Structure formats: structure tokens, C-alpha cells
Amino acid sequence: MGLGAIDLNLLVALEALLEEKNVTHAGVRLSTSQSAMSGSLARLRRHFNDELLVRVGREYELTPLAERLLPVVQASLHKAEEALSLTRHFDPTRSRQRFSVVMSDYVMTVFVEPLLRVIAEEAPGVRIDFHSIVDGQLENETHLRCHDLMVVPLGYQLPGVSEAVMHDRFVCLVDPDNRGWSTGGSA
């Protein structure tokens, strides 16, 4: 079967379904309804003549075919994105893009207000969704792919390009008369 005989948008749905292992979560990820994702899953099941996702208890698991498909689909979509972005030029003054940014709570208090001020001046149509770091999500590769930028403390070993964007210094002030905090004292 040639590429013209299949809707290539199903590859995006297939990746989301296989990574999320959940029709509802895949729909949320792609900003589509649960019923539309169910329809995509039904079409994919017919195409591959395989269930792809099977219920085990309250969860879904990938079939052996789905396990083999996942890395191939991920690599294919990555290559397609790479090919399509080669000629794309980002013009901040005309862009209407929405970006998802993850930051620690501290970085949010320091960065968000000045960042929004610059964006309002340089890229007035751009929108940013800010998200706090949640325990365990920086280790989840699927979660990492849902965001455009992460500003996290040094020490996280995240895939992709990283660069230090700020250095800060913490200062502790104590009252010298507070005997509980002096050297050798007891708290």
C-alpha cells in the first residue's frame, strides 16, 4: 500500500496512543476529543490488523506489534518534523505560536514577569503556558516531549541542548544575638 492510501495524520495519533497507552490522555495531548482518538485507534487497528492496545486490568498495554512500531513511528515523525522545519523561519513579530515552558517555582518568581514584558514588546502574538516542575515528570521522556522549553536547576540530566541562563547566589541573614544560630550553639 502506498502513502497516498493512508492518512499520514494517523502517525501522529499512533505515536500519542502508543506513548500514552491511554485514549483519553492521547486525545488531551493532541487537543482532540476522546471519541476522535477512539476513531483513530479503530482505523489503526484495521490497518495493522492488530489491537495495538489491550486492556490489562485497569490499564492498557502495547501488543508486541505496537512495541515494535513505537520506535519506528517516533523516528519517522522526528524526521518529518526535521524536514518540515528546515525552511521555516520564525518571525516573532508575526508569530501566533503558543509555547509550553516548565520552570521551577523559584525561577518562575524571577523570570516570568520580565519575560512576559519582553514578549509583549517583541512578540505580541506569542502565548506561553507556564508549568511548574512536578516530581517524577523530568524523568518521563513522554512528558518532556510535551514542552518547548525547560528552565530547571543544574544537575538534571535532560536530553537535548542545555545552557545556563542564570546564576544566583543565596544569602542568609541572622541576628548575631540569636544564640541558637551561632556557631556551636544548639537549635
Side-chain angles (χ1 to χ4, degrees):
M1 181 183 305
L3 287 178
I6 187 163
D7 179 0
L8 293 178
N9 288 317
L10 283 175
L11 284 178
V12 176
L14 179 60
E15 179 186 47
L17 287 162
L18 299 183
E19 287 180 351
E20 298 291 337
K21 298 179 188 173
N22 182 296
V23 175
T24 303
H25 294 164
V28 168
R29 177 171 155 182
L30 298 181
S31 301
T32 190
S33 69
Q34 188 268 343
S35 62
M37 285 307 299
S38 292
S40 293
L41 179 57
R43 289 174 64 194
L44 289 161
R45 283 174 167 166
R46 281 191 305 274
H47 175 79
F48 289 107
N49 194 26
D50 186 90
E51 286 298 303
L52 301 174
L53 294 173
V54 291
R55 187 176 289 277
V56 176
R58 298 182 74 193
E59 305 292 320
Y60 282 96
E61 288 188 7
L62 301 181
T63 65
L65 174 63
E67 291 279 354
R68 291 192 316 272
L69 281 172
L70 181 57
V72 175
V73 171
Q74 289 170 327
S76 298
L77 288 175
H78 177 74
K79 285 294 184 189
E81 285 177 10
E82 193 176 285
L84 293 171
S85 67
L86 286 177
T87 59
R88 188 170 45 193
H89 173 71
F90 179 74
D91 180 358
T93 61
R94 299 175 71 197
S95 177
R96 297 275 178 243
Q97 278 185 273
R98 178 176 222 109
F99 296 95
S100 176
V101 178
V102 173
M103 296 180 170
S104 68
D105 292 338
Y106 174 72
V107 171
M108 274 197 205
T109 63
V110 174
F111 264 35
V112 170
E113 191 276 327
L115 179 62
L116 290 177
R117 195 172 343 117
V118 169
I119 289 171
E121 293 172 15
E122 309 267 334
V126 167
R127 298 293 171 252
I128 299 183
D129 296 325
F130 293 100
H131 305 277
S132 293
I133 296 172
V134 175
D135 285 342
Q137 71 185 183
L138 294 183
E139 291 80 29
N140 181 334
E141 191 171 324
T142 300
H143 177 77
L144 294 175
R145 292 176 196 229
C146 296
H147 303 288
D148 299 295
L149 175 68
M150 297 187 145
V151 183
V152 298
L154 292 174
Y156 283 98
Q157 299 298 317
L158 301 176
V161 177
S162 64
E163 181 179 325
V165 293
M166 71 177 273
H167 294 281
D168 208 350
R169 146 187 116 133
F170 292 95
V171 176
C172 182
L173 300 175
V174 291
D175 182 348
D177 295 330
N178 185 343
R179 306 296 283 160
W181 291 97
S182 64
T183 306
S186 61

